[in-house]
Coordinates of all heavy atoms in Angstrom, one line a residue:
A1 N 181.8 28.0 -59.2 CA 180.4 27.7 -59.0 C 179.7 29.0 -58.8 O 180.1 29.9 -58.0 CB 180.2 26.8 -57.7
A2 N 178.7 29.2 -59.4 CA 177.8 30.4 -59.4 C 176.7 30.3 -58.3 O 176.1 29.2 -58.2 CB 177.2 30.8 -60.7
S3 N 176.5 31.3 -57.5 CA 175.5 31.3 -56.5 C 174.3 32.2 -56.9 O 174.6 33.2 -57.5 CB 176.0 31.6 -55.2 OG 176.3 33.0 -55.1
I4 N 173.1 31.6 -56.7 CA 171.9 32.5 -57.1 C 171.3 33.0 -55.8 O 171.0 32.2 -54.8 CB 170.9 31.6 -57.9 CG1 171.5 31.1 -59.1 CG2 169.6 32.3 -58.0 CD1 170.7 30.0 -59.8
M5 N 171.2 34.3 -55.7 CA 170.5 34.9 -54.6 C 169.1 35.2 -54.8 O 168.8 35.8 -55.8 CB 171.2 36.1 -54.1 CG 172.7 35.8 -53.7 SD 173.5 37.2 -52.9 CE 172.4 37.5 -51.4
T6 N 168.2 34.8 -53.9 CA 166.8 35.1 -54.1 C 166.3 36.2 -53.2 O 166.7 36.1 -52.0 CB 165.9 33.8 -53.8 OG1 166.4 32.8 -54.7 CG2 164.5 34.0 -54.1
S7 N 165.6 37.1 -53.6 CA 165.3 38.3 -52.8 C 163.8 38.1 -52.5 O 162.9 37.8 -53.4 CB 165.4 39.6 -53.5 OG 164.8 40.6 -52.8
F8 N 163.4 38.1 -51.3 CA 161.9 38.0 -51.0 C 161.8 38.9 -49.6 O 162.7 39.2 -48.9 CB 161.6 36.5 -50.6 CG 162.2 35.9 -49.4 CD1 161.6 35.9 -48.2 CD2 163.5 35.4 -49.4 CE1 162.3 35.4 -47.1 CE2 164.2 34.9 -48.4 CZ 163.5 34.9 -47.3
T9 N 160.5 39.2 -49.5 CA 160.1 40.1 -48.3 C 159.8 39.1 -47.1 O 158.9 38.3 -47.3 CB 158.9 41.0 -48.6 OG1 159.2 41.7 -49.8 CG2 158.6 41.8 -47.4
Q10 N 160.4 39.3 -46.0 CA 160.1 38.4 -44.9 C 158.9 39.0 -44.2 O 158.8 40.1 -43.9 CB 161.3 38.5 -43.9 CG 161.1 37.5 -42.7 CD 162.3 37.6 -41.8 OE1 163.2 38.3 -42.0 NE2 162.2 36.8 -40.7
I11 N 157.9 38.1 -44.0 CA 156.6 38.5 -43.4 C 156.4 37.6 -42.2 O 156.7 36.5 -42.1 CB 155.5 38.3 -44.4 CG1 155.6 39.2 -45.5 CG2 154.2 38.5 -43.7 CD1 154.5 39.0 -46.6
R12 N 156.0 38.4 -41.1 CA 155.7 37.6 -39.9 C 154.5 38.2 -39.3 O 154.0 39.3 -39.5 CB 156.8 37.6 -38.8 CG 157.2 39.0 -38.3 CD 158.6 38.8 -37.5 NE 159.1 40.0 -37.0 CZ 159.0 40.4 -35.7 NH1 158.5 39.6 -34.7 NH2 159.4 41.6 -35.3
I13 N 153.8 37.5 -38.4 CA 152.6 37.9 -37.8 C 152.9 38.2 -36.3 O 153.7 37.6 -35.5 CB 151.5 36.7 -37.8 CG1 151.3 36.3 -39.3 CG2 150.3 37.2 -37.1 CD1 150.7 37.2 -40.2
I14 N 152.2 39.3 -35.8 CA 152.3 39.7 -34.4 C 150.8 39.7 -33.9 O 149.9 40.3 -34.7 CB 153.1 41.0 -34.2 CG1 153.3 41.2 -32.8 CG2 152.4 42.3 -34.8 CD1 154.5 42.2 -32.5
T15 N 150.6 39.3 -32.8 CA 149.2 39.3 -32.1 C 149.4 39.9 -30.7 O 150.5 40.1 -30.2 CB 148.8 37.8 -31.9 OG1 149.7 37.2 -31.1 CG2 148.6 37.1 -33.2
G16 N 148.2 40.3 -30.2 CA 148.3 40.9 -28.9 C 146.8 41.2 -28.4 O 145.8 40.9 -29.1
K17 N 146.8 41.9 -27.2 CA 145.5 42.2 -26.7 C 145.6 43.6 -26.1 O 146.6 43.9 -25.4 CB 145.1 41.2 -25.6 CG 143.7 41.4 -24.9 CD 143.3 40.4 -24.0 CE 142.0 40.5 -23.5 NZ 141.5 39.5 -22.6
V18 N 144.6 44.5 -26.3 CA 144.6 45.8 -25.6 C 143.5 45.8 -24.5 O 142.4 45.4 -24.8 CB 144.4 46.8 -26.7 CG1 144.3 48.2 -26.1 CG2 145.4 46.8 -27.8
T19 N 144.0 46.1 -23.3 CA 143.0 46.2 -22.2 C 143.2 47.6 -21.5 O 144.1 48.3 -21.7 CB 143.3 45.2 -21.1 OG1 144.7 45.2 -20.8 CG2 143.0 43.7 -21.7
D20 N 142.1 48.0 -20.8 CA 142.2 49.2 -20.0 C 142.9 48.9 -18.7 O 143.2 47.8 -18.4 CB 140.8 49.9 -19.9 CG 139.9 49.1 -19.1 OD1 140.2 48.1 -18.4 OD2 138.7 49.3 -19.3
S21 N 143.0 49.9 -17.8 CA 143.7 49.8 -16.6 C 143.1 48.8 -15.6 O 143.7 48.3 -14.7 CB 144.0 51.2 -15.9 OG 142.7 51.7 -15.7
S22 N 141.8 48.5 -15.8 CA 141.1 47.6 -15.0 C 141.1 46.2 -15.5 O 140.5 45.2 -15.0 CB 139.7 48.0 -14.7 OG 138.9 47.9 -16.0
G23 N 141.8 46.0 -16.7 CA 141.9 44.7 -17.3 C 140.8 44.3 -18.3 O 140.8 43.2 -18.8
S24 N 139.9 45.3 -18.5 CA 138.8 45.1 -19.5 C 139.2 45.2 -20.9 O 140.1 46.1 -21.2 CB 137.6 45.9 -19.3 OG 137.1 45.8 -17.9
P25 N 138.8 44.3 -21.8 CA 139.3 44.4 -23.2 C 138.8 45.7 -23.9 O 137.7 46.2 -23.5 CB 138.7 43.2 -23.9 CG 137.6 42.7 -23.0 CD 138.0 43.1 -21.6
M26 N 139.6 46.3 -24.8 CA 139.2 47.5 -25.5 C 139.0 47.2 -26.9 O 139.9 47.1 -27.7 CB 140.3 48.5 -25.3 CG 140.4 49.1 -23.8 SD 141.6 50.4 -23.6 CE 140.9 51.7 -24.6
P27 N 137.7 47.0 -27.3 CA 137.5 46.9 -28.8 C 137.6 48.2 -29.5 O 137.4 49.3 -28.9 CB 136.1 46.3 -28.9 CG 135.5 46.8 -27.6 CD 136.5 46.9 -26.6
G28 N 137.9 48.1 -30.8 CA 137.9 49.4 -31.6 C 139.1 50.2 -31.6 O 139.2 51.3 -32.1
V29 N 140.2 49.6 -31.0 CA 141.4 50.4 -31.0 C 142.2 50.2 -32.3 O 142.4 49.0 -32.8 CB 142.4 50.0 -29.8 CG1 143.7 50.7 -29.9 CG2 141.7 50.2 -28.4
A30 N 142.7 51.3 -32.9 CA 143.4 51.1 -34.2 C 144.9 50.7 -33.9 O 145.5 51.3 -33.0 CB 143.4 52.5 -35.0
V31 N 145.4 49.6 -34.5 CA 146.7 49.1 -34.4 C 147.4 49.3 -35.7 O 147.0 48.6 -36.6 CB 146.7 47.6 -33.8 CG1 148.1 47.2 -33.6 CG2 145.9 47.5 -32.6
T32 N 148.3 50.1 -35.9 CA 148.9 50.3 -37.1 C 150.4 50.3 -37.0 O 151.0 50.6 -36.0 CB 148.5 51.8 -37.7 OG1 148.9 52.8 -36.8 CG2 147.1 51.9 -38.0
V33 N 151.0 49.8 -38.2 CA 152.5 49.8 -38.3 C 152.9 51.3 -38.5 O 152.4 51.9 -39.4 CB 153.1 48.9 -39.5 CG1 154.6 49.0 -39.5 CG2 152.5 47.5 -39.2
K34 N 153.8 51.9 -37.6 CA 154.2 53.3 -37.7 C 154.7 53.6 -39.1 O 155.6 52.8 -39.7 CB 155.3 53.5 -36.6 CG 155.5 54.9 -36.4 CD 156.3 55.3 -35.2 CE 156.6 56.8 -35.0 NZ 157.4 57.0 -33.8
R35 N 154.4 54.7 -39.6 CA 154.8 55.1 -40.9 C 154.3 54.4 -42.1 O 154.9 54.4 -43.2 CB 156.3 55.4 -41.0 CG 156.9 56.4 -40.0 CD 158.4 56.8 -40.4 NE 159.3 55.9 -39.7 CZ 159.7 56.0 -38.5 NH1 159.1 56.8 -37.7 NH2 160.6 55.2 -37.9
T36 N 153.2 53.7 -41.9 CA 152.6 53.0 -43.1 C 151.1 53.1 -42.9 O 150.6 53.7 -41.9 CB 152.8 51.4 -43.0 OG1 152.1 50.8 -41.9 CG2 154.3 51.1 -42.9
M37 N 150.4 52.6 -43.9 CA 148.8 52.5 -43.8 C 148.4 51.2 -43.3 O 147.2 50.9 -43.4 CB 148.3 52.9 -45.2 CG 148.7 54.3 -45.7 SD 148.0 55.6 -44.6 CE 146.3 55.5 -45.0
R38 N 149.3 50.3 -43.0 CA 148.9 49.0 -42.7 C 148.5 48.8 -41.2 O 149.2 49.4 -40.4 CB 150.1 47.9 -43.0 CG 150.3 47.7 -44.5 CD 151.4 46.8 -44.8 NE 152.7 47.4 -44.5 CZ 153.6 47.0 -43.6 NH1 153.3 45.9 -42.8 NH2 154.7 47.7 -43.3
G39 N 147.4 48.0 -41.0 CA 147.0 47.8 -39.6 C 145.8 47.1 -39.5 O 145.2 46.5 -40.5
T40 N 145.2 47.2 -38.3 CA 143.9 46.6 -38.1 C 143.2 47.3 -36.9 O 143.7 48.3 -36.4 CB 144.2 45.1 -37.7 OG1 142.9 44.3 -37.6 CG2 144.9 44.9 -36.3
V41 N 142.1 46.7 -36.5 CA 141.3 47.3 -35.3 C 141.0 46.2 -34.4 O 140.8 45.0 -34.8 CB 140.0 47.9 -35.8 CG1 139.2 48.4 -34.6 CG2 140.2 49.0 -36.7
T42 N 141.2 46.3 -33.0 CA 141.0 45.3 -32.1 C 139.5 44.8 -32.1 O 138.5 45.6 -32.3 CB 141.2 45.8 -30.7 OG1 140.6 46.9 -30.4 CG2 142.8 46.0 -30.6
D43 N 139.3 43.5 -32.0 CA 138.0 43.0 -32.0 C 137.2 43.2 -30.5 O 137.8 43.9 -29.7 CB 138.0 41.5 -32.3 CG 138.7 40.6 -31.3 OD1 139.0 41.0 -30.2 OD2 139.0 39.5 -31.7
N44 N 136.1 42.6 -30.4 CA 135.3 42.8 -29.1 C 136.1 42.3 -28.0 O 135.7 42.8 -26.8 CB 133.9 42.1 -29.3 CG 133.0 42.8 -30.2 OD1 133.2 44.0 -30.4 ND2 132.0 42.1 -30.7
G45 N 137.0 41.5 -28.1 CA 137.8 40.9 -27.1 C 139.1 41.7 -26.8 O 140.0 41.4 -25.9
G46 N 139.3 42.8 -27.6 CA 140.5 43.6 -27.5 C 141.7 42.9 -28.2 O 142.9 43.4 -28.1
Q47 N 141.4 41.8 -28.9 CA 142.5 41.1 -29.6 C 142.8 41.6 -31.0 O 141.9 42.2 -31.7 CB 142.1 39.6 -29.8 CG 141.7 38.9 -28.6 CD 142.8 38.4 -27.8 OE1 144.1 38.3 -28.3 NE2 142.7 37.9 -26.5
Y48 N 144.0 41.5 -31.5 CA 144.4 42.0 -32.8 C 145.5 41.0 -33.4 O 146.1 40.3 -32.7 CB 144.9 43.4 -32.8 CG 146.2 43.6 -32.1 CD1 147.4 43.5 -32.9 CD2 146.4 43.8 -30.7 CE1 148.7 43.5 -32.3 CE2 147.6 43.9 -30.2 CZ 148.7 43.8 -30.9 OH 150.1 43.9 -30.3
T49 N 145.6 41.1 -34.7 CA 146.7 40.4 -35.5 C 147.0 41.4 -36.5 O 146.3 41.8 -37.3 CB 146.2 39.1 -36.1 OG1 145.7 38.3 -35.0 CG2 147.2 38.4 -36.8
V50 N 148.5 41.5 -36.7 CA 149.0 42.4 -37.7 C 150.1 41.7 -38.4 O 150.9 41.0 -37.8 CB 149.5 43.7 -37.1 CG1 150.2 44.6 -38.1 CG2 148.5 44.5 -36.4
E51 N 150.1 41.8 -39.8 CA 151.2 41.3 -40.6 C 152.3 42.3 -40.6 O 152.1 43.5 -40.9 CB 150.6 41.0 -41.9 CG 151.4 40.2 -42.8 CD 150.8 39.7 -44.1 OE1 151.0 40.6 -45.0 OE2 150.2 38.7 -44.2
L52 N 153.5 41.9 -40.4 CA 154.7 42.8 -40.4 C 155.6 42.3 -41.5 O 155.7 41.2 -42.0 CB 155.5 42.5 -39.1 CG 154.9 42.9 -37.7 CD1 155.8 42.5 -36.6 CD2 154.4 44.3 -37.7
K53 N 156.2 43.4 -42.1 CA 157.2 43.2 -43.1 C 158.5 43.6 -42.7 O 158.7 44.3 -41.6 CB 156.8 44.1 -44.3 CG 155.6 43.6 -45.0 CD 155.3 44.4 -46.2 CE 154.0 43.9 -46.9 NZ 153.5 44.8 -48.0
Q54 N 159.6 43.2 -43.2 CA 160.9 43.5 -42.9 C 161.1 45.0 -42.8 O 160.6 45.6 -43.7 CB 161.9 42.8 -43.9 CG 163.3 42.7 -43.4 CD 164.2 41.9 -44.3 OE1 163.8 41.4 -45.4 NE2 165.4 41.6 -43.8
G55 N 161.7 45.4 -41.8 CA 162.0 46.9 -41.6 C 160.9 47.5 -40.6 O 161.1 48.6 -40.2
D56 N 159.8 46.9 -40.5 CA 158.8 47.4 -39.5 C 159.3 47.4 -38.1 O 159.8 46.4 -37.5 CB 157.5 46.6 -39.5 CG 156.7 46.7 -40.8 OD1 157.0 47.7 -41.5 OD2 155.8 45.9 -41.1
E57 N 159.3 48.6 -37.4 CA 160.0 48.7 -36.1 C 158.9 49.0 -35.0 O 159.3 48.6 -33.8 CB 161.0 49.8 -36.1 CG 162.2 49.4 -36.9 CD 163.3 50.4 -36.7 OE1 163.9 50.5 -35.6 OE2 163.6 51.2 -37.6
Y58 N 157.9 49.7 -35.2 CA 157.0 50.1 -34.1 C 155.6 49.9 -34.5 O 155.1 49.9 -35.7 CB 157.1 51.7 -33.9 CG 158.5 52.1 -33.4 CD1 159.4 52.4 -34.3 CD2 158.8 52.0 -32.1 CE1 160.8 52.8 -34.0 CE2 160.1 52.4 -31.7 CZ 161.1 52.7 -32.5 OH 162.3 53.2 -32.1
L59 N 154.7 49.6 -33.5 CA 153.2 49.5 -33.6 C 152.7 50.8 -32.9 O 153.2 51.1 -31.8 CB 152.7 48.3 -33.1 CG 152.9 46.9 -33.8 CD1 152.2 45.8 -33.2 CD2 152.4 47.1 -35.3
Q60 N 151.7 51.3 -33.4 CA 151.0 52.4 -32.7 C 149.5 52.0 -32.4 O 148.8 51.4 -33.3 CB 150.9 53.7 -33.5 CG 152.4 54.4 -33.7 CD 152.3 55.6 -34.2 OE1 151.8 55.9 -35.2 NE2 152.8 56.7 -33.5
Y61 N 149.2 52.4 -31.2 CA 147.8 52.0 -30.7 C 147.0 53.3 -30.5 O 147.5 54.1 -29.7 CB 147.9 51.2 -29.4 CG 148.6 49.9 -29.5 CD1 150.1 49.9 -29.5 CD2 148.1 48.7 -29.9 CE1 150.8 48.8 -29.7 CE2 148.8 47.5 -30.0 CZ 150.2 47.6 -29.9 OH 150.9 46.5 -30.1
S62 N 145.9 53.5 -31.1 CA 145.2 54.8 -30.9 C 143.7 54.6 -31.0 O 143.3 53.8 -31.6 CB 145.7 55.8 -32.0 OG 145.4 55.3 -33.3
M63 N 143.1 55.5 -30.2 CA 141.6 55.4 -30.0 C 141.2 56.9 -29.6 O 141.9 57.4 -28.8 CB 141.2 54.4 -29.1 CG 139.7 54.2 -29.0 SD 139.3 52.9 -28.0 CE 137.5 52.8 -28.1
I64 N 140.2 57.3 -30.1 CA 139.7 58.8 -29.8 C 139.5 58.8 -28.3 O 138.8 57.9 -27.8 CB 138.4 59.0 -30.6 CG1 138.7 59.2 -32.0 CG2 137.9 60.4 -30.1 CD1 137.5 59.4 -33.0
G65 N 140.0 59.8 -27.7 CA 139.8 60.0 -26.3 C 140.8 59.4 -25.4 O 140.9 59.6 -24.3
F66 N 141.9 58.7 -26.1 CA 142.9 58.1 -25.4 C 144.3 58.5 -25.9 O 144.4 58.8 -27.1 CB 142.9 56.5 -25.5 CG 141.7 56.0 -24.7 CD1 140.4 55.9 -25.3 CD2 141.8 55.5 -23.4 CE1 139.4 55.3 -24.6 CE2 140.7 55.1 -22.7 CZ 139.5 54.9 -23.4
T67 N 145.3 58.5 -25.1 CA 146.7 58.8 -25.6 C 147.2 57.7 -26.5 O 147.0 56.6 -26.2 CB 147.6 59.0 -24.3 OG1 147.1 59.9 -23.5 CG2 149.0 59.3 -24.8
T68 N 147.8 58.1 -27.6 CA 148.4 57.1 -28.6 C 149.6 56.5 -27.9 O 150.5 57.1 -27.3 CB 148.8 57.7 -29.8 OG1 147.6 58.2 -30.4 CG2 149.4 56.7 -30.8
V69 N 149.8 55.1 -28.0 CA 150.8 54.4 -27.3 C 151.6 53.8 -28.5 O 151.1 53.3 -29.5 CB 150.2 53.2 -26.5 CG1 151.4 52.3 -26.0 CG2 149.5 53.8 -25.3
T70 N 152.9 53.9 -28.4 CA 153.9 53.4 -29.4 C 154.7 52.2 -28.8 O 155.3 52.5 -27.7 CB 154.8 54.4 -30.0 OG1 154.0 55.4 -30.5 CG2 155.7 53.8 -31.2
E71 N 154.7 51.1 -29.4 CA 155.5 50.0 -28.9 C 156.6 49.6 -29.9 O 156.3 49.4 -31.1 CB 154.6 48.8 -28.6 CG 153.9 48.8 -27.3 CD 154.7 48.6 -26.1 OE1 155.7 47.8 -26.1 OE2 154.3 49.2 -25.0
R72 N 157.8 49.5 -29.5 CA 158.9 49.0 -30.3 C 158.8 47.3 -30.4 O 158.6 46.7 -29.4 CB 160.3 49.3 -29.8 CG 161.4 48.9 -30.8 CD 162.6 49.5 -30.6 NE 163.6 49.2 -31.7 CZ 164.8 49.5 -31.5 NH1 165.3 50.1 -30.4 NH2 165.6 49.2 -32.6
I73 N 158.7 46.8 -31.7 CA 158.4 45.5 -31.9 C 159.6 44.6 -31.5 O 159.4 43.6 -30.8 CB 158.0 45.2 -33.4 CG1 156.9 46.0 -33.8 CG2 157.8 43.7 -33.6 CD1 156.6 46.2 -35.2
R74 N 160.8 44.9 -31.9 CA 162.0 44.1 -31.7 C 161.7 42.7 -32.2 O 161.2 42.4 -33.3 CB 162.4 44.0 -30.2 CG 162.9 45.4 -29.8 CD 163.6 45.2 -28.4 NE 164.2 46.5 -28.0 CZ 163.6 47.5 -27.3 NH1 162.3 47.3 -27.0 NH2 164.3 48.6 -27.0
E75 N 162.0 41.6 -31.4 CA 161.8 40.2 -31.9 C 160.5 39.6 -31.4 O 160.3 38.4 -31.5 CB 163.0 39.4 -31.4 CG 164.4 39.8 -31.9 CD 164.3 39.9 -33.6 OE1 163.8 38.9 -34.1 OE2 164.8 40.8 -34.1
R76 N 159.6 40.4 -30.7 CA 158.4 39.9 -30.0 C 157.4 39.5 -31.2 O 157.4 40.0 -32.2 CB 157.8 41.0 -29.2 CG 158.6 41.3 -28.0 CD 158.0 42.3 -27.1 NE 157.9 43.7 -27.6 CZ 157.3 44.7 -27.0 NH1 156.7 44.4 -25.9 NH2 157.4 45.9 -27.5
T77 N 156.6 38.5 -30.9 CA 155.6 38.0 -31.6 C 154.2 38.2 -31.1 O 153.2 38.1 -31.6 CB 155.6 36.5 -31.9 OG1 155.7 35.8 -30.6 CG2 157.0 36.1 -32.7
R78 N 154.3 38.8 -29.8 CA 152.9 39.1 -29.0 C 153.3 40.4 -28.3 O 154.3 40.5 -27.6 CB 152.5 38.0 -28.2 CG 151.3 38.4 -27.5 CD 150.6 37.1 -26.7 NE 149.4 37.7 -26.0 CZ 148.1 37.5 -26.5 NH1 148.0 37.0 -27.8 NH2 147.1 37.9 -26.0
I79 N 152.4 41.4 -28.4 CA 152.5 42.6 -27.6 C 151.1 42.9 -27.1 O 150.1 43.2 -27.8 CB 152.9 43.8 -28.5 CG1 154.4 43.5 -29.1 CG2 153.0 45.1 -27.7 CD1 154.8 44.6 -30.0
D80 N 151.0 42.8 -25.8 CA 149.8 43.2 -25.0 C 150.0 44.6 -24.4 O 151.0 44.9 -23.9 CB 149.5 42.3 -23.8 CG 149.2 40.9 -24.4 OD1 148.7 40.6 -25.5 OD2 149.6 39.9 -23.7
V81 N 148.9 45.5 -24.7 CA 149.1 46.8 -24.2 C 147.9 47.1 -23.2 O 146.8 46.8 -23.4 CB 148.9 47.8 -25.5 CG1 148.8 49.2 -25.0 CG2 150.0 47.5 -26.5
V82 N 148.3 47.9 -22.2 CA 147.3 48.4 -21.2 C 147.1 49.8 -21.3 O 148.1 50.6 -21.3 CB 147.8 48.0 -19.7 CG1 146.7 48.4 -18.7 CG2 147.9 46.4 -19.7

């Protein structure tokens, strides 16, 4: 019996919220998949949604005037950053 293997790219969605140290939402933060051009920007409520592909390991959060934060994704489907 012959087996047929199908190759496909596994895609999943990760969501989260970016807030400052007082808990206020931070709109306009760039959220990118490290070493790619894929990403998004947080909305007025600090919320974001990013599509991940197989092999994506880290998300980077950056905004002018703030230190860039890098989070390892692992198996998480939601990452909130302060």
